[in-house]
């Protein structure tokens, strides 16, 4: 898999496949709770099994093994033997027990009067508490909060993180750290100066039309956190920190070491001194010891961020949300970052994840993210994948998996070659889904798969069978096997999160007016004459509005506050349509509630458009704070549509789904 051409890559993988086929057992054996794995049934008669369970027991049979990852040794009568990891997983993942709606937001874009120039975990906690208690929301879905690659300018995309295993401390609410109140008086003046700069940074975004400057925010927070760290931890806090260090172990030590080394040598580990490129070399161990103070600082940041993320989920559940915070798992990591350094043996060197050519992109795509090696994952019993999921589920009521099709196969692009010369590499989807079911069930968390775009036949059906919800976006739901017209609400799938838009698509107001076409035209992104694009957009929207009208979804009597304009009436109708579908979860893009027209990310752009740096704004482009959102008549009018629709118009569907959930079996229930 380290070969430099697709043909050599395919040959290497074929040889590896032959080697695995000759083994007595595959490196990882997968079974469902209550049944014997097929690989064990296929062993020669007389094979002796020895199983050391995850719970510390020793067994000679796989019958009724508890869910977990167990160590298996098999010895055949002919003397062949093999060791393997035995994964026993629940039949299905947890699913929501009823219907709910929730808000979708990019955390950095949600500023309050307490933010330091970008939204933070304090704002997330406030949002969940308010949305749960006052709005009756069941969840809040956020962008990936993974740790970023440091250095200015930082890549603002949350989908190219340094690490997916640990969160980004830039989201910390510094004032909510208990030690903040006890900073020494001699350093208070410096802290007050940082707070004053933070106010100016916030006001520049909210009042002076400045973009969110993550690097400037982090520089202020880093200085403040250095001061806060000087405050000794009390006995209880010290014990909690020690527990965190013990729980995270080597993974955290490697993560913090990378960040400490990056402060000295820069954030591209491939340019470090040769010996330091190996996380397990004696030179790296010596450097870690020399930089132990900085290693501890970065360990402390991971602990504090984990603590505030846990508090945000607790606030959501305390507010009555049945799900709470829905976190987002990016499809990969930055090749220069902490995970790619610490987990080198699990990543395919010289390869990148992308997409093959299709009708929308004839050249294919290269996302610049190194893929996991399926063989090394299997040999480890999927340990890196398990640890990743366990870390995220710890503070997630649900997890959205970006490009969930990657559990089945990924398009590998050799370094230095165009995406057209890539190849699909398959993963053991049965094993990946078993690990997912195991960890999600232990946490009682729902899983949502982002399955938009080109999906291999059978993938959606397999995901649905295991309890993974899909993603359905209104504008893409058409009868593609029939006349291509908008799909009637009763024909939508129930096991999904249904939305009107996403962070990569135009906000609903811009979609309805065609403003997204004009934006792409101004930026030179269109591949056809602009008039053709306008006609196609208007036709698409017109067909949907005609369906909404035929269904009577503009009627004020169906619930919700009275819309103040035709645009608001159409947005209300769009969301009434989503309520007419059987979807278990209805997602509302938070910027849609105040008429924001700007997408958070415009695919195909880099510096032509301020991706990932825009605050939530109203229809006129004026930034809107969390406090203003809470008082917005426009927001409350749309929320009334959802609350009335879920409370009155969908009871039959909800009852049917609750009955279905109760009869689906499996040992786990919904959250």
């Amino acid at each position: 898999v380290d070969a430099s051409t697709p043909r050599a890559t395919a040959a290497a993988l074929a040889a590896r496949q032959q080697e695995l086929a000759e083994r007595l057992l595959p490196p990882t054996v997968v079974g469902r709770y209550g049944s014997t794995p097929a690989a064990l049934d296929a062993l020669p008669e007389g094979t002796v099994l020895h199983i050391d369970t995850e719970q510390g027991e020793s067994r000679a049979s796989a019958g009724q093994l508890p869910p977990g990852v167990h160590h298996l040794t098999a010895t055949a009568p002919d003397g062949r033997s093999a060791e393997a990891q035995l994964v026993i997983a629940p039949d299905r993942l947890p699913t929501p027990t009823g219907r709910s709606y929730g808000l979708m937001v990019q955390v950095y874009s949600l500023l309050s009067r307490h933010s330091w120039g970008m939204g933070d975990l304090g704002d997330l906690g406030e949002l969940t508490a308010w949305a749960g208690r006052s709005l009756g929301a069941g969840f809040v879905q956020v962008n990936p909060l993974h740790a970023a690659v440091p250095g200015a300018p930082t890549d603002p995309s949350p989908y190219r993180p340094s690490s997916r295993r640990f969160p980004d401390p830039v989201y910390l609410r510094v004032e909510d750290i208990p030690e903040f109140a006890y900073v020494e008086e001699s350093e208070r003046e410096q802290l007050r100066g940082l707070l004053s700069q933070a106010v100016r940074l916030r006001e520049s975004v909210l009042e002076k039309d400045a973009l969110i400057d993550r690097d400037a925010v982090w520089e202020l927070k880093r200085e403040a956190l250095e001061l806060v760290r000087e405050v000794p931890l009390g006995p209880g806090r010290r014990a909690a920190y020690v527990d965190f260090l013990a729980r995270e172990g080597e993974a955290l030590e490697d993560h913090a070491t990378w960040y400490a080394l990056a402060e000295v040598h820069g954030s591209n580990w491939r340019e470090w001194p040769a010996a330091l490129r190996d996380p397990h070399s004696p030179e790296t161990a010596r450097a870690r010891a020399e930089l132990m103070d900085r290693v501890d600082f970065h360990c402390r940041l991971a602990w504090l961020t984990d603590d505030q993320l846990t508090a945000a989920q607790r606030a959501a559940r305390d507010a009555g949300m049945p799900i709470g915070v829905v976190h987002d798992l990016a499809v990969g990591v930055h090749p220069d970052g902490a995970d790619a350094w610490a987990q080198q043996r699990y990543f395919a060197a010289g390869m990148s994840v992308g997409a093959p050519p299709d009708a929308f992109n004839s050249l294919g795509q290269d996302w610049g993210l190194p893929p996991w090696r399926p063989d090394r994952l299997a040999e480890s019993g999927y340990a890196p994948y398990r640890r990743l999921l366990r870390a995220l589920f710890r503070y997630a009521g649900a997890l959205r998996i970006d490009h969930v099709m990657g559990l089945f196969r990924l398009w590998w692009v050799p370094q230095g070659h165009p995406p057209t010369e890539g190849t699909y590499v398959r993963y053991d989807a049965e094993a990946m889904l078993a690990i997912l079911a195991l960890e999600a069930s232990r946490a009682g968390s729902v899983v949502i798969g982002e399955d938009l775009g080109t999906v291999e036949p059978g993938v959606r059906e397999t995901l649905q069978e295991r309890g993974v919800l899909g993603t359905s976006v209104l504008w893409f739901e058409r009868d593609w096997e029939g006349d291509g017209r908008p799909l009637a609400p009763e024909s939508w799938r129930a096991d999904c999160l249904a939305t009107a838009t996403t962070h990569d698509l135009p906000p609903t107001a811009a979609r309805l007016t065609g403003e997204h076409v004009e934006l792409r035209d101004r930026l030179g992104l269109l591949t056809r004459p602009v008039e053709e694009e306008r006609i196609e957009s208007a036709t698409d929207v017109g067909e949907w509005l005609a369906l909404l009208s035929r269904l009577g979804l503009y009627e004020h009597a169906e619930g919700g506050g009275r819309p103040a304009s035709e645009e608001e009436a159409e947005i209300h109708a769009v969301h009434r349509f989503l309520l007419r579908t059987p979807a278990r979860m209805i997602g509302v893009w938070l910027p849609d509630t105040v008429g924001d027209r700007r997408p958070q990310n415009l695919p195909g752009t880099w510096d032509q458009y301020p991706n990932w740096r825009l605050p939530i704004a109203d229809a006129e482009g004026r930034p809107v704070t969390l406090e203003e959102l809470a008082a917005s008549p426009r927001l409350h009018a749309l929320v009334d549509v959802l609350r009335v629709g879920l409370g009155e118009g969908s009871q039959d569907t909800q009852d049917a789904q609750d009955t279905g959930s109760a009869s689906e079996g499996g040992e786990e229930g919904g959250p």
Side-chain angles (χ1 to χ4, degrees):
V1 294
D2 294 337
S4 60
T5 69
R7 183 172 298 176
T9 300
L13 289 168
R16 177 61 176 157
Q17 202 68 23
Q18 180 64 31
E19 177 188 336
L20 292 174
E22 294 171 357
R23 280 178 53 107
L24 184 64
L25 285 173
T28 297
V29 176
V30 177
R32 299 192 188 183
Y33 179 70
S35 62
T36 303
L40 300 188
D41 281 337
L43 287 171
E45 186 175 351
T47 298
V48 176
L49 299 181
H50 180 82
I51 303 170
D52 293 316
T53 73
E54 192 178 75
Q55 292 75 19
E57 303 172 353
S58 183
R59 298 195 183 191
S61 168
Q64 296 300 310
L65 274 174
V69 181
H70 316 296
H71 186 75
L72 168 67
T73 303
T75 304
D78 61 7
R80 288 183 300 153
S81 66
E83 295 186 7
Q85 301 297 321
L86 175 58
V87 179
I88 301 296
D91 229 25
R92 286 176 58 83
L93 289 81
T95 51
T97 54
R99 299 188 80 197
S100 64
Y101 92 92
L103 303 174
M104 304 186 302
V105 63
Q106 304 279 292
V107 173
Y108 60 84
S109 72
L110 179 66
L111 282 74
S112 72
R113 288 296 173 186
H114 300 288
S115 307
W116 287 33
M118 63 180 280
D120 59 34
L121 295 177
D123 297 320
L124 177 59
E126 289 283 351
L127 176 66
T128 58
W130 165 63
R133 286 189 166 89
S134 299
L135 305 182
F139 61 91
V140 170
Q141 178 183 314
V142 300
N143 56 287
L145 301 181
H146 309 317
V149 177
T154 302
D155 186 340
S157 171
Y159 291 93
R160 280 174 58 83
S162 172
S163 172
R164 298 186 295 175
R165 297 180 296 170
F166 296 97
D168 197 331
V170 76
Y171 289 105
L172 280 169
R173 170 69 63 84
V174 178
E175 298 93 322
D176 286 353
I177 300 171
E179 289 72 36
F180 176 84
Y182 304 104
V183 171
E184 290 287 343
E185 189 60 38
S186 60
E187 295 171 331
R188 281 274 160 193
E189 187 61 35
Q190 183 180 351
L191 195 55
R192 281 191 287 269
L194 294 172
L195 289 169
S196 296
Q197 292 180 64
V199 170
R200 289 195 291 273
L201 202 56
R202 179 179 69 236
E203 290 178 347
S204 69
V205 174
L206 295 177
E207 300 173 11
K208 299 178 181 177
D209 205 29
L211 298 175
I212 291 170
D213 188 339
R214 183 195 181 283
D215 294 330
V217 172
W218 174 237
E219 184 57 32
L220 294 179
K221 287 191 177 183
R222 186 193 58 75
E223 291 186 41
L225 289 164
E226 300 275 12
L227 297 175
V228 171
R229 182 187 175 224
E230 296 302 315
V231 177
L233 296 173
R237 293 275 288 167
R238 169 61 61 181
Y241 181 42
V242 170
D243 279 354
F244 178 80
L245 294 175
R247 184 184 75 199
E248 300 304 323
E250 183 182 3
L252 176 61
E253 187 176 69
D254 286 344
H255 175 81
T257 298
W258 184 91
Y259 277 86
L261 289 170
E263 291 179 347
V264 178
H265 301 288
S267 59
N268 184 351
W269 60 270
R270 290 179 177 80
E271 297 178 355
W272 293 355
L276 297 182
R277 298 172 201 165
D278 179 359
H280 306 298
S281 71
E283 290 81 1
T284 298
R286 282 195 293 272
R288 179 185 294 118
E290 293 168 0
L291 296 169
M292 187 51 65
D293 181 68
R294 300 310 299 164
V295 171
D296 179 71
F297 176 67
H298 291 287
C299 285
R300 184 82 64 95
L301 295 184
W303 171 57
L304 294 172
T305 314
D306 182 273
D307 191 51
Q308 290 195 5
L309 282 164
T310 302
Q313 172 63 0
R314 188 185 308 120
R317 299 306 289 266
D318 289 347
M321 287 187 172
I323 295 176
V325 182
V326 180
H327 284 277
D328 198 344
L329 174 61
V331 71
V333 296
H334 198 290
D336 302 337
D339 281 4
W341 174 75
Q343 297 181 326
Q344 288 174 56
R345 71 181 308 272
Y346 296 109
F347 287 104
M351 295 289 169
S352 175
V353 175
D358 57 29
F360 300 100
N361 194 323
S362 61
L363 299 179
Q365 300 175 59
D366 184 346
W367 301 334
L369 308 170
W372 264 337
R373 289 181 53 154
D375 57 336
R376 295 273 173 85
L377 285 178
E379 289 167 1
S380 72
Y382 292 84
Y385 178 51
R386 281 188 283 139
R387 287 194 293 263
L388 170 61
L389 292 175
R390 196 169 297 172
L392 291 167
F393 280 132
R394 192 162 54 243
Y395 42 72
L399 182 65
R400 174 191 179 271
I401 300 180
D402 189 39
H403 193 70
V404 72
M405 297 81 78
L407 299 180
F408 296 77
R409 66 179 186 178
L410 284 171
W411 186 256
W412 286 21
V413 181
Q415 188 174 5
H417 292 256
T420 52
E421 296 183 12
T423 186
Y424 272 120
V425 174
R426 290 203 171 275
Y427 292 76
D428 186 341
E430 183 184 15
M432 301 287 274
L433 287 171
I435 297 293
L436 182 61
L438 178 64
E439 297 302 337
S441 298
R442 285 172 165 172
S445 297
V446 172
V447 175
I448 303 162
E450 186 272 297
D451 56 355
L452 303 173
T454 303
V455 183
E456 185 182 8
V459 166
R460 287 196 175 104
E461 292 77 8
T462 300
L463 293 172
Q464 183 179 28
E465 177 196 342
R466 299 309 300 273
V468 178
L469 302 185
T471 302
S472 294
V473 178
L474 181 133
W475 310 102
F476 301 153
E477 291 296 313
R478 288 176 171 269
D479 182 9
W480 298 114
E481 296 181 0
D483 57 13
R485 293 192 175 277
L487 196 64
E490 63 272 13
S491 298
W492 285 42
R493 52 184 170 170
D495 295 323
C496 75
L497 166 66
T499 72
T501 190
T502 73
H503 58 269
D504 282 334
L505 296 173
T508 304
R511 172 82 68 172
L512 291 169
T513 60
E515 291 174 50
H516 64 298
V517 173
E518 306 307 322
L519 173 61
R520 294 182 67 81
D521 182 44
R522 287 198 302 274
L523 296 177
L525 300 176
L526 300 182
T527 58
R528 297 186 299 172
V530 65
E531 193 54 40
E532 288 184 23
E533 296 279 353
R534 288 177 183 140
I535 291 172
E536 182 176 285
S537 175
T539 301
D540 179 51
V541 170
E543 289 178 350
W544 276 104
L545 294 180
L547 176 58
L548 302 182
S549 180
R550 287 197 301 274
L551 294 173
L553 298 180
Y554 290 97
E555 297 299 324
H556 175 65
E558 290 204 20
R562 188 173 297 280
S565 66
E566 181 180 351
E567 174 185 290
E568 286 186 56
E570 291 173 346
I571 292 175
H572 287 193
V574 163
H575 288 86
R576 285 196 187 97
F577 180 93
L578 296 178
L579 292 168
R580 285 278 188 96
T581 74
R584 293 179 183 271
M585 298 173 68
I586 310 296
V588 180
W589 181 234
L590 188 56
D592 272 353
T593 65
V594 287
D596 199 345
R597 265 120 164 99
R598 307 169 305 173
Q600 281 294 315
N601 177 51
L602 191 59
T605 63
W606 178 246
D607 55 2
Q608 310 99 306
Y609 185 80
N611 295 318
W612 318 113
R613 289 174 287 169
L614 293 171
I616 294 175
D618 62 18
E620 285 71 45
R622 184 184 67 84
V624 178
T625 65
L626 174 57
E627 293 84 355
E628 290 169 325
L629 280 167
S632 167
R634 179 166 180 163
L635 178 145
H636 284 279
L638 179 55
V639 165
D640 284 347
V641 168
L642 294 149
R643 299 190 71 173
V644 171
L646 285 173
E648 298 175 3
S650 57
Q651 192 61 50
D652 292 341
T653 302
Q654 180 173 337
D655 289 345
Q657 287 182 348
D658 290 345
T659 301
S661 296
S663 64
E664 283 168 348
E667 63 174 355
E668 74 283 352

